[in-house]
Amino acid sequence: MKPVELKDGVYWVGAIDWDERDFHNFVTERGLTYNSYLIMDEKVTLVDTVKHKFVRQSMERIRKVVEPSEIEYIVVNHIEPDHSSGLPDTVKIAKDATIICTQRAKDGLCRYYDCDGWNFQVVKGGDELKIGRRTLMFVDMTMLHWPDSMATYVKEDRLLLSNDAFGQHIASGGRFDEDIGVDEALKWAKIYYANILMPLSGLIKKKLAEIQNLNLEIDMIAPSHGVVWRNPAKIIEAYSRWSNFESENKVVIVYDSMWHSTEAIARAIADGVESEGAEVRVFHVRKDHWTSIVTEILDARAVAVGSPTIHNGLFPTVAGFLTYLKGLKPQNKKGLAFGSYGWNGNGVKEVHRILEELKFEMLEPFMVKFRPTKEELEKAFEMGAELAK
Ligand code: FEO
């Protein structure tokens, strides 16, 4: 049976990794895919390769359409090893192929691998390549999400091969958004956006406007992870919302606790939020995946972070989480730092300082000595209500 055909003569020849649960600390609870696309034209073209251990799987799919040695062009949209680590073995099979990539990608590939003897053709955004009846146009995607990144637009098929952009980390039997359900696909795309693309939201806004100005007709977007979008407007609209940090009436509370005092404050804040009718999500930073927590933070209007004080400072798990959060640069949030302490409240002060650095609009930090009293829990409730308002 031939592999799934996206368009007449354009095939998905990637790999499904059902087992992987960690993608450099991104929890992939449903596995992931490495998508690669084969375009059958006068010049047989492969767009993106797969992770090294899946080259055989990808080659088996290609072989059902054409002998892999007949591939003449290999487009490398992005060099991160989840895509490029399969390139050296692919080049050994498609010996005469020319690698099409940006200058930065070429430089990076030759740092990662021994590229001696590889044929390269360097391209930049706006360049076109005729491969027969089709024209490939390359779209500059610098820093979306690496300096080498680009996307490939197949003009005649109105197909955007977008690499990481618009991707999702989910393994599935179906190859299209409709196969798993468009809303389900959007759910996984949001997790991907929050954990990989959130800090690049400013650039993404500009890029969406740029793509709109190019007047590219796009009726399908095929990313390098997850399902293919037959409903491109849905994911483009979602990217517009996420990159603008459009928020919902939702408060996210994240905490850790040594002796249940910070936990009791977290619960009281949550009750206060609920009393105002806002949605509240409470996460224990040692029990919940950071991947899920930051996904909820992406579109939350307020975030409260609680830490006990230990060794005169932050509780280590909260420190780790805040380091992750800082890198992701969430915007347009209100914030609250809270927690308990024994003889100084430096842990809470540190949370406050870090959230201020993120330009969160902060309430006064809330801290209690040893154990919250009834009055202090009432105060925490009020602060939750204030956040929700
Ligand atoms: Fe899917 Fe940036 O690699």
Side-chain angles (χ1 to χ4, degrees):
M1 201 174 77
K2 279 192 173 178
V4 172
E5 197 169 17
L6 273 62
K7 295 270 185 176
D8 192 19
V10 181
Y11 299 90
W12 175 83
V13 290
I16 305 176
D17 188 345
W18 294 99
D19 300 330
E20 185 60 74
R21 293 292 176 268
D22 174 86
F23 184 88
H24 55 55
N25 204 42
F26 180 138
V27 176
T28 52
E29 60 184 84
R30 286 273 304 270
L32 67 152
T33 72
Y34 308 97
N35 297 341
S36 173
Y37 300 99
L38 179 72
I39 308 175
M40 292 303 295
D41 212 310
E42 282 170 34
K43 302 273 190 186
V44 177
T45 301
L46 185 69
V47 179
D48 289 324
T49 49
V50 297
K51 191 175 175 181
H52 179 253
K53 70 175 182 176
F54 294 102
V55 170
R56 184 190 291 258
Q57 195 186 123
S58 174
M59 286 298 150
E60 278 167 13
R61 293 188 211 283
I62 294 171
R63 216 163 266 125
K64 286 179 180 151
V65 183
V66 67
E67 262 314 303
S69 58
E70 289 179 35
I71 294 168
E72 291 189 58
Y73 287 129
I74 303 171
V75 176
V76 175
N77 278 321
H78 173 38
I79 66 167
E80 193 165 2
D82 53 324
H83 310 286
S84 73
S85 57
L87 183 63
D89 279 356
T90 306
V91 173
K92 277 184 201 150
I93 299 165
K95 289 187 176 62
D96 300 322
T98 299
I99 296 163
I100 310 291
C101 63
T102 63
Q103 182 63 49
R104 286 190 183 114
K106 181 184 172 189
D107 296 343
L109 288 173
C110 295
R111 293 284 303 183
Y112 272 128
Y113 317 106
D114 176 6
C115 65
D116 201 27
W118 292 7
N119 307 314
F120 281 100
Q121 184 175 331
V122 167
V123 293
K124 56 182 184 333
D127 286 358
E128 294 190 352
L129 178 72
K130 281 296 273 186
I131 59 167
R133 75 167 183 85
R134 293 183 182 81
T135 315
L136 306 185
M137 190 184 115
F138 303 104
V139 181
D140 175 72
M141 297 286 272
T142 304
M143 286 317 294
L144 293 171
H145 68 131
W146 276 23
D148 54 274
S149 299
M150 67 174 191
T152 300
Y153 176 63
V154 189
K155 275 187 164 175
E156 293 73 10
D157 293 315
R158 298 183 297 281
L159 167 66
L160 183 67
L161 303 168
S162 59
N163 196 262
D164 281 338
F166 309 116
Q168 331 95 49
H169 277 334
I170 178 174
S172 60
R175 296 273 63 80
F176 296 99
D177 49 0
E178 290 148 351
D179 296 336
I180 63 167
V182 176
D183 287 343
E184 181 72 3
L186 287 168
K187 181 185 100 180
W188 291 96
K190 182 183 171 191
I191 299 170
Y192 189 94
Y193 186 97
N195 286 273
I196 294 188
L197 299 172
M198 194 193 317
L200 308 168
S201 292
L203 275 175
I204 288 167
K205 269 198 285 191
K206 279 190 201 148
K207 189 53 65 178
L208 289 176
E210 234 177 272
I211 290 176
Q212 213 157 27
N213 290 339
L214 285 173
N215 281 325
L216 301 184
E217 285 179 62
I218 299 174
D219 64 28
M220 189 182 284
I221 296 178
S224 58
H225 298 290
V227 293
V228 171
W229 299 97
R230 269 186 176 141
N231 298 273
K234 293 270 187 187
I235 185 65
I236 290 173
E237 188 273 330
Y239 264 49
S240 165
R241 259 187 295 120
W242 298 331
S243 60
N244 280 299
F245 288 96
E246 282 182 25
S247 58
E248 293 178 7
N249 195 16
K250 176 173 68 174
V251 179
V252 171
I253 300 170
V254 190
Y255 74 96
D256 204 333
S257 199
M258 285 170 74
W259 297 108
H260 304 290
S261 293
T262 305
E263 178 187 322
I265 302 168
R267 296 266 160 83
I269 294 170
D271 288 348
V273 173
E274 269 203 299
S275 73
E276 288 298 321
E279 187 190 346
V280 62
R281 296 294 310 270
V282 182
F283 293 100
H284 188 295
V285 81
R286 238 183 310 155
K287 297 177 186 167
D288 292 298
H289 298 311
W290 297 358
T291 308
S292 313
I293 302 174
V294 300
T295 303
E296 289 299 330
I297 287 178
L298 173 66
D299 58 3
R301 204 158 291 164
V303 181
V305 178
S307 175
T309 292
I310 187 168
H311 304 144
N312 277 343
L314 273 176
F315 202 69
T317 51
V318 178
F321 173 74
L322 286 174
T323 302
Y324 187 55
L325 189 69
K326 236 168 89 172
L328 292 173
K329 301 186 175 69
Q331 292 173 29
N332 301 343
K333 312 287 177 203
K334 297 197 188 307
L336 168 66
F338 66 93
S340 68
Y341 66 96
W343 41 101
N344 79 40
N346 281 341
V348 178
K349 286 178 200 155
E350 196 53 15
V351 172
H352 186 83
R353 186 189 65 73
I354 293 169
L355 296 184
E356 259 188 341
E357 252 179 48
L358 279 168
K359 302 197 167 50
F360 283 19
E361 198 184 311
M362 299 298 294
L363 299 185
E364 279 304 306
F366 180 71
M367 58 182 102
V368 305
K369 190 174 173 73
F370 290 131
R371 184 170 163 270
T373 61
K374 185 170 168 284
E375 291 71 32
E376 282 167 332
L377 287 176
E378 280 167 10
K379 171 74 179 157
F381 180 96
E382 280 163 26
M383 294 195 90
E386 195 181 336
L387 264 190
K389 280 178 198 161

